[in-house]
């Protein structure tokens, strides 16, 4: 890839401490994932923590009836590509690549040791956790406070452009509705001329 690991740490995380960047460069590696590849499986204990460099990932779980429920998407440059909140714990969801993707991976044990040595690294991880918690609260609020149409319009605003990259099946399961309902909402917005407005285009 065109960007080296040291430049990637500066670009993704805004790091400026050269000794820290050097240590991370020694530990990190870029993993390339083919579309459909499972990065994590629920119940497995991952040895590495990942950050999205390029592509699109989906987190999902199976409900009591065995239905595939989309929990989250990772699509922004630098987004954590993890399956659990606490480093080293078993994955609470499955994570798969929806497109050919690239993930920056760091081994968890040495990374935890670096956090003890460099407080700025711990603060960075805490910031990631806060952002992830905020995102999940926003999703939860949308699920409980909005009707189906409002949920879909919220999705278009909160995840701009993602409706072109993600199947209706996955969007519908993420928003807690059937594909039939999602198709009906799309038709209503399209026929009323509101679809582009809702997408912010």
């Amino acid at each position: 890839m065109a960007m080296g690991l040291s430049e990637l740490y500066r670009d993704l995380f805004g790091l400026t401490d050269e000794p820290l960047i050097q240590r991370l460069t020694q530990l990190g590696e870029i993993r390339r994932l083919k579309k459909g590849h499972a990065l994590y499986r629920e119940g497995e204990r991952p040895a590495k923590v990942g950050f999205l460099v390029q592509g699109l990932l989906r987190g999902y779980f199976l409900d009591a009836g065995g239905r595939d429920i989309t929990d989250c998407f990772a699509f922004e440059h630098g987004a954590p590509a993890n399956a659990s909140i606490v480093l080293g714990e078993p994955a609470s969801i499955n994570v798969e690549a929806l497109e050919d993707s690239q993930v920056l991976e760091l081994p968890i044990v040495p990374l935890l040791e670096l956090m003890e040595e460099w407080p700025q690294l711990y603060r960075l991880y805490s910031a990631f956790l806060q952002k992830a918690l905020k995102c999940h609260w926003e999703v939860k609020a949308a699920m409980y406070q909005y009707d189906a149409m409002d949920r879909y319009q919220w999705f278009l605003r909160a995840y701009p452009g993602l409706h072109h990259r993600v199947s209706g099946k996955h969007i519908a399961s993420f928003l807690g509705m059937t594909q039939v309902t999602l198709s009906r909402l799309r038709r209503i917005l399209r026929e009323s001329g509101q679809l582009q407005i809702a997408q912010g285009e």
Side-chain angles (χ1 to χ4, degrees):
M1 77 178 269
M3 185 181 292
L5 277 179
S6 58
E7 290 80 9
L8 195 58
Y9 291 120
R10 297 185 185 94
D11 179 60
L12 287 181
F13 310 135
L15 296 177
T16 58
D17 190 313
E18 288 303 321
L20 174 57
I21 291 174
Q22 290 177 12
R23 293 283 295 277
L24 290 172
T25 300
Q26 293 169 355
L27 292 174
E29 64 177 354
I30 298 296
R31 182 177 178 185
R32 290 170 170 78
L33 308 174
K34 289 293 186 181
K35 180 179 178 180
H37 180 84
L39 182 60
Y40 302 115
R41 296 189 185 279
E42 185 177 358
E44 293 181 349
R45 190 180 297 273
K48 298 181 179 180
V49 59
F51 299 91
L52 184 66
V53 175
Q54 180 181 316
L56 174 62
L57 306 177
R58 179 180 77 105
Y60 70 97
F61 59 89
L62 301 180
D63 68 8
R67 292 181 303 172
D68 179 319
I69 306 297
T70 298
D71 177 70
C72 57
F73 298 103
F75 62 100
E76 295 179 325
H77 190 57
N82 303 320
S84 60
I85 294 296
V86 180
L87 293 179
E89 285 199 348
S92 57
I93 58 174
N94 305 286
V95 177
E96 67 171 352
L98 294 184
E99 300 173 351
D100 289 350
S101 304
Q102 295 182 16
V103 174
L104 168 64
E105 289 191 324
L106 291 158
I108 291 175
V109 173
L111 182 60
L112 290 173
E113 294 173 353
L114 285 183
M115 285 183 182
E116 301 259 340
E117 189 175 350
W118 271 279
Q120 71 179 104
L121 200 57
Y122 182 80
R123 290 194 295 270
L124 180 64
Y125 180 65
S126 296
F128 278 126
L129 288 181
Q130 292 176 28
K131 184 176 181 180
L133 182 60
K134 180 177 182 291
C135 178
H136 276 78
W137 273 111
E138 289 174 349
V139 172
K140 186 175 182 180
M143 295 303 104
Y144 285 100
Q145 296 176 355
Y146 299 158
D147 62 18
M149 177 61 82
D150 287 338
R151 289 202 301 276
Y152 182 53
Q153 291 180 314
W154 164 82
F155 173 82
L156 294 174
R157 294 191 302 270
Y159 298 85
L162 210 58
H163 64 290
H164 291 309
R165 302 168 63 187
V166 178
S167 71
K169 173 185 175 181
H170 295 330
I171 293 175
S173 71
F174 179 62
L175 295 176
M177 63 181 69
T178 66
Q179 289 180 256
V180 173
T181 297
L182 179 63
S183 296
R184 177 175 57 82
L185 298 177
R186 283 176 162 170
R187 185 178 67 253
I188 291 172
L189 288 176
R190 186 168 54 249
E191 291 175 352
S192 65
Q194 297 182 57
L195 190 56
Q196 290 187 340
I197 295 174
Q199 294 168 188
E201 297 177 352

